[in-house]
């Protein structure tokens, strides 16, 4: 009897897992990444604030500050733009972004945090620090990072923060 009551919950989890990510192929996104790298917008104040808050947090723990890297920021922008276009927060095509940064930025290790809905740098960084996985990225063994923040036409903010270790 207990199995029958848990079966619908298990089915929902399987369906969510199967359909929560995009089905775009990695090859399709490869061209998009290269095209969008040349069109990354100027750095926004909120992006600078996020980077400063993350580095201040790292310094408070005795960790090295991370250096902002334009190429990493450009790759972050391509993903934020993708999330805005699709009106969803995701890590879709992370493997492609990671491989691109390993090939073009000398990254040995790549990780990312994404978020949506937060309207200030403080609120998004605070949310990431409350999440074990996101906090681990912020406090991780990385050397560089880049962040992108974009507001959709509906007024919803999307964020991508990529960390690399050279």
């Amino acid at each position: 009897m207990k199995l029958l009551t848990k079966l619908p919950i298990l089915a929902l989890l399987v369906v969510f897992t199967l359909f929560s990510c995009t089905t775009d192929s990695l090859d399709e996104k490869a061209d998009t990444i290269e095209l969008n790298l040349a069109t990354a917008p100027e750095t926004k104040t909120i992006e600078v604030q996020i980077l400063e808050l993350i580095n201040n947090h790292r310094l408070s723990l005795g960790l090295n500050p991370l250096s902002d890297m334009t190429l990493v920021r450009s790759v972050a922008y391509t993903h934020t733009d993708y999330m805005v276009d699709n009106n969803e927060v995701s890590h879709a095509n992370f493997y492609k972004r990671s491989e691109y940064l390993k090939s073009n930025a000398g990254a040995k290790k790549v990780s990312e945090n994404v978020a949506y809905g937060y309207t200030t740098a403080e609120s998004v960084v605070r949310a990431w620090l409350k999440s074990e996985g996101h906090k681990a990225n912020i406090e991780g063994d990385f050397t560089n990072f880049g962040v992108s923040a974009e507001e959709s036409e509906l007024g919803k903010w999307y964020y991508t923060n990529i960390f690399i270790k050279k």
Side-chain angles (χ1 to χ4, degrees):
M1 187 72 164
K2 289 183 179 181
L3 178 60
L4 290 177
T5 60
K6 293 180 181 177
L7 194 55
I9 294 170
L10 181 60
L12 284 174
L13 287 173
V14 169
V15 169
F16 179 75
T17 302
L18 291 175
F19 296 106
S20 66
C21 294
T22 184
T23 57
D24 291 345
S25 77
L26 295 177
D27 292 336
E28 287 177 311
K29 294 312 289 178
D31 293 336
T32 304
I33 287 173
E34 290 177 36
L35 290 174
N36 286 344
L37 288 176
T39 61
E42 289 186 33
T43 304
K44 295 176 189 67
T45 302
I46 193 169
E47 294 165 341
V48 172
Q49 292 170 339
I50 290 169
L51 298 174
E52 288 175 355
L53 288 167
I54 288 172
N55 269 339
N56 288 341
H57 175 76
R58 290 178 61 86
L59 288 168
S60 75
L61 299 174
L63 300 171
N64 64 300
L66 303 177
S67 298
D68 185 16
M69 190 171 181
T70 303
L71 183 59
V72 176
R73 183 183 161 306
S74 295
V75 173
Y77 170 73
T78 65
H79 186 59
T80 304
D81 194 43
Y82 171 87
M83 292 191 299
V84 168
D85 288 347
N86 290 282
N87 195 33
E88 69 177 1
V89 65
S90 75
H91 290 284
N93 302 301
F94 172 73
Y95 176 79
K96 189 64 187 171
R97 289 187 296 286
S98 176
E99 289 304 307
Y100 183 87
L101 290 168
K102 288 175 180 176
S103 295
N104 295 282
K108 291 179 175 46
K109 177 178 163 184
V110 180
S111 192
E112 77 179 12
N113 288 346
V114 297
Y116 73 101
Y118 299 95
T119 57
T120 66
E122 293 83 5
S123 64
V124 72
V125 172
R126 187 172 34 249
W128 281 332
L129 289 173
K130 287 182 181 178
S131 163
E132 188 176 317
H134 295 101
K135 183 178 180 180
N137 287 339
I138 289 172
E139 297 175 358
D141 182 23
F142 297 104
T143 55
N144 301 83
F145 63 170
V147 68
S148 172
E150 293 294 324
E151 187 176 13
S152 73
E153 291 179 3
L154 301 173
K156 184 189 281 186
W157 281 90
Y158 290 82
Y159 304 88
T160 304
N161 188 191
I162 299 179
F163 304 86
I164 71 167
K165 178 177 181 163
K166 288 180 114 188

